[in-house]
Amino acid sequence: MDDQARIMQSIGGVSLAGHSVQGGMALPPPHGHDGTDGDGRKQDIGDILHQIMTITDQSLDEAQAKKHGLNCHRMKPALFSVLCEIKEKTGLSIRGAQEEDPPDPQLMRLDNMLLAEGVAGPEKGGGSAAAAAAAAASGGAADNSIEHSDYRAKLTQIRQIYHTELEKYEQACNEFTTHVMNLLREQSRTRPISPKEIERMVGIIHRKFSSIQMQLKQSTCEAVMILRSRFLDARRKRRNFSKQATEILNEYFYSHLSNPYPSEEAKEELAKKCSITVSQVSNWFGNKRIRYKKNIGKFQEEANLYAAKTAVNAAHAAAAAVQNSQANSPTTPNSGSSGSFNLPNSGDMFLSMQSLNGDSYQGAQVGANVQSQVDTLRHVISQTAGYNDALGGNTMYSPHGLNNSRLASNSYGSPGFRCYLVICPQTGGNEEMDNDTQPTGLCFAPNEQSYFHFLMVTKAKQ
DNA sequence: CCGAATGATTGCCA
DNA sequence: TGGCAATCATTCGG
C-alpha cells in the first residue's frame, strides 16, 4: 500500500464517521491508481484538502459520539482483546528478532573508559586513581601535587558536566516515556494496544535516548582524552627536574664516569631518590652521555664541581670517623670546613692526583673500589697538569705522620694561601712538600682499600 | 624576546 | 632491547 492510498484510507475513515454523503465522493481505488499519473495525483490531493477544509466542529463532535458509541458497544471488550492478541502475535513475530539488541561494543568501551577515568562510577574519590597514575607518569614529585590537583579539578569539571547532562537526558527520557505511555494508555481505549506493546514502545524510546547518551559519552571521552593528553604529554608540558634530583643524577654520573650506565637496580634507586620514573632516569643518562661526549669541555666545570663534592662527601665521612675516634680533640676539623671549597668560582681549589692510569673512560684496569674515585677525578687531571709545576706535581703527599692537630682551621681561606685538595696514593711516595705548602686540612683514606688519600693543603699564593 | 638548557621522542643499529 | 644520534618542545635566564 503506498502512502497516498494510506492517506486515502485515513481520510476515508474520517468520512465514515458520519459523512456518508461525502464518503461517497469519488475517491480513487487504492490499486486502481498506478501512481504515475501526475495530474491525477494533484487532483487527489486537491480532493483531500477539500475534505479536510470542510470538516467542521460539528462533524468532529459527531465522530466523537460515534466513537463513544463503539466503545460502549457490548461486543467491544471481547473483540478488543482478540484484536490485541492478533496484533501482539503479529507484532512479536515481526519484531522479535529486533528486540534482542546485543550490547553495543562501542558503548561498552565508552562506559569502561568513563569508569576507568573516574568520570562515571562512584562520586567520591572518582578519578583519583587515574589522576595519580597520570601524575606519576608525568614525573616530578614537587609539581605532582599542583598538576595532580589541576588535573583533578578539570576532571571534576568534566564529570559534573557529564552528570548534569546525563540527568537532563534521563529526565527528558522519563518525561517523554511517561507522556507516550499516557498517550498510548489513552489510545488503548479505542485501538488495540496491549501492555506489551507499550513496553516495547518504552524500549524504543529508551534506545533512542541512549543513542543520544552515547553521543554525550563520546564527547565526554574526547574531553577526558584531551585533558589526559595535555596532562600526560610531558613533552608538551615538561618540568625540569628539581635541583636536588639533578644533583643526585650528576653525582652518580661523574662518579661512574668510566661506566656511566646504571644498572636497572641503580636506576630504580636513583629514580626513588629523585622522585622520578626509571625511564626518566634512563632518558637523563642517555642525554647526559651524549651531551657530555659531544662537549666535554663544557662539562669540565661541572665535572670538577661534582668531583670535589664527592671528595668532600668522602671527607665528611672520614672526618666523622676521625671525630669518633678522637672525640675529645679540640682541633678536629668540623664539617663546616667544607665551606672553604669553592672550586669552580674562585679557582682556588686544586686537585692533584698521582699515578692515575690514563683514560679511565676506556676502562683502565684499576681496582674496582678505586674506579669511581678515578672517575670522579678524571676531569680535573687536565686542570691539574696546569698546576703541577707550581705545586710540585711529582711530589707524593703522604698522609703518614700528619697530625690532625696541625690542621688548623685558621688556614682555611686565609688571604695568603690557596686551598687545595690533593689526592695522593695511600702508600709509599715522597713525604716532602714545598716549603710553602702546608697540610692544613683533612687527611684520610675514603676507605681502607683505597689507593688514594684526600689531603687538603694550603699553598702560599704566588 | 631570544638563545641556551633540558627532558622527551623517534628512528636506527648492534 | 638498550644505546646513540638527531630532533622536538618546553622551560629558564639574561
Side-chain angles (χ1 to χ4, degrees):
Chain A
M1 188 190 293
D2 65 316
D3 287 348
Q4 194 179 4
R6 209 173 285 139
I7 293 165
M8 295 303 165
Q9 248 190 8
S10 169
I11 300 297
V14 172
S15 68
L16 281 172
H19 292 262
S20 54
V21 179
Q22 285 185 356
M25 76 181 203
L27 283 176
H31 300 291
H33 195 275
D34 61 9
T36 53
D37 185 359
D39 288 344
R41 184 171 288 186
K42 273 181 193 167
Q43 184 62 39
D44 292 343
I45 292 167
D47 288 345
I48 293 159
L49 283 172
H50 178 73
Q51 266 190 305
I52 292 167
M53 295 302 283
T54 52
I55 292 172
T56 61
D57 287 342
Q58 197 186 356
S59 64
L60 284 174
D61 286 343
E62 282 173 21
Q64 286 291 334
K66 189 87 181 174
K67 203 165 79 178
H68 183 71
L70 280 170
N71 279 335
C72 295
H73 197 277
R74 61 189 176 86
M75 288 297 284
K76 193 247 177 185
L79 284 170
F80 193 82
S81 61
V82 171
L83 276 171
C84 275
E85 207 173 309
I86 293 165
K87 196 179 173 187
E88 193 178 314
K89 276 179 184 169
T90 52
L92 280 177
S93 65
I94 294 163
R95 293 174 186 166
Q98 294 175 337
E99 281 293 337
E100 314 164 5
D101 61 329
D104 186 353
Q106 198 187 347
L107 187 63
M108 276 176 72
R109 270 204 304 276
L110 290 172
D111 279 336
N112 286 341
M113 186 191 157
L114 290 172
L115 211 62
E117 293 297 332
V119 176
E123 182 79 39
K124 282 275 173 186
S128 63
S138 77
D143 299 323
N144 266 4
S145 56
I146 301 162
E147 295 192 5
H148 193 134
S149 61
D150 195 31
Y151 179 85
R152 272 178 81 164
K154 290 202 166 102
L155 198 68
T156 307
Q157 214 176 330
I158 290 172
R159 185 194 165 90
Q160 274 170 353
I161 292 166
Y162 170 75
H163 281 285
T164 310
E165 291 297 310
L166 205 65
E167 254 175 53
K168 266 191 214 168
Y169 284 141
E170 272 168 13
Q171 204 181 337
C173 179
N174 287 338
E175 275 174 17
F176 190 70
T177 306
T178 312
H179 176 74
V180 168
M181 277 171 74
N182 287 340
L183 208 65
L184 289 173
R185 279 201 196 105
E186 181 66 30
Q187 285 190 2
S188 70
R189 288 197 288 174
T190 51
R191 65 187 185 97
I193 300 172
S194 65
K196 274 197 177 178
E197 201 176 347
I198 294 173
E199 265 177 48
R200 233 177 0 247
M201 190 56 78
V202 168
I204 290 166
I205 293 165
H206 282 178
R207 273 197 295 280
K208 288 284 175 198
F209 271 90
S210 74
S211 73
I212 297 168
Q213 279 186 0
M214 194 160 93
Q215 284 176 15
L216 171 70
K217 285 173 181 176
Q218 207 157 13
S219 57
T220 306
C221 277
E222 276 170 22
V224 171
M225 290 304 282
I226 290 165
L227 177 68
R228 252 183 106 79
S229 69
R230 279 196 189 149
F231 186 74
L232 287 177
D233 193 348
R235 189 162 166 165
R236 249 172 215 226
K237 198 184 175 182
R238 69 169 183 80
R239 287 256 176 276
N240 287 358
F241 297 157
S242 67
K243 235 179 168 180
Q244 205 183 0
T246 312
E247 276 194 16
I248 291 166
L249 294 167
N250 270 318
E251 274 176 30
Y252 187 96
F253 180 80
Y254 287 111
S255 63
H256 295 77
L257 212 46
S258 67
N259 185 35
Y261 300 90
S263 64
E264 273 307 305
E265 291 76 29
K267 278 180 191 171
E268 277 169 27
E269 180 79 19
L270 285 167
K272 214 171 172 183
K273 275 186 188 171
C274 301
S275 304
I276 57 176
T277 63
V278 173
S279 64
Q280 281 179 307
V281 173
S282 300
N283 284 340
W284 190 91
F285 273 88
N287 284 325
K288 191 73 183 179
R289 280 190 298 265
I290 194 79
R291 283 163 186 165
Y292 174 83
K293 209 163 90 174
K294 267 187 178 174
N295 195 351
I296 293 174
K298 201 180 83 179
F299 289 94
Q300 191 75 60
E301 207 172 293
E302 191 177 73
N304 290 350
L305 177 69
Y306 284 100
K309 211 168 186 172
T310 306
V312 170
N313 286 342
H316 284 168
V322 169
Q323 215 160 13
N324 285 340
S325 63
Q326 301 181 353
N328 295 326
S329 170
T331 52
T332 305
N334 59 30
S335 60
S337 64
S338 66
S340 302
F341 293 87
N342 196 12
L343 218 155
N345 296 330
S346 68
D348 279 359
M349 180 58 97
F350 172 65
L351 292 100
S352 168
M353 190 151 65
Q354 286 287 332
S355 307
L356 280 180
N357 188 9
D359 190 358
S360 59
Y361 197 76
Q362 302 298 323
Q365 295 302 306
V366 188
N369 59 327
V370 195
Q371 190 60 63
S372 77
Q373 293 170 43
V374 175
D375 293 336
T376 305
L377 298 164
R378 176 176 174 267
H379 292 279
V380 296
I381 297 169
S382 58
Q383 278 202 344
T384 311
Y387 285 90
N388 269 347
D389 288 338
L391 198 69
N394 291 327
T395 308
M396 289 192 175
Y397 296 107
S398 167
H400 298 313
L402 283 177
N403 186 344
N404 270 329
S405 65
R406 286 189 60 206
L407 306 180
S409 59
N410 63 3
S411 296
Y412 295 117
S414 62
F417 292 88
R418 285 185 168 194
C419 185
Y420 302 105
L421 183 67
V422 178
I423 291 88
C424 52
Q426 191 173 25
T427 54
N430 195 334
E431 302 275 335
E432 289 182 328
M433 294 182 187
D434 290 310
N435 287 337
D436 55 356
T437 302
Q438 298 293 324
T440 56
L442 297 171
C443 170
F444 65 92
N447 57 53
E448 286 179 5
Q449 289 81 38
S450 178
Y451 289 178
F452 303 99
H453 283 280
F454 293 82
L455 173 63
M456 196 170 115
V457 301
T458 57
K459 180 175 169 65
K461 280 185 178 173
Q462 293 172 351

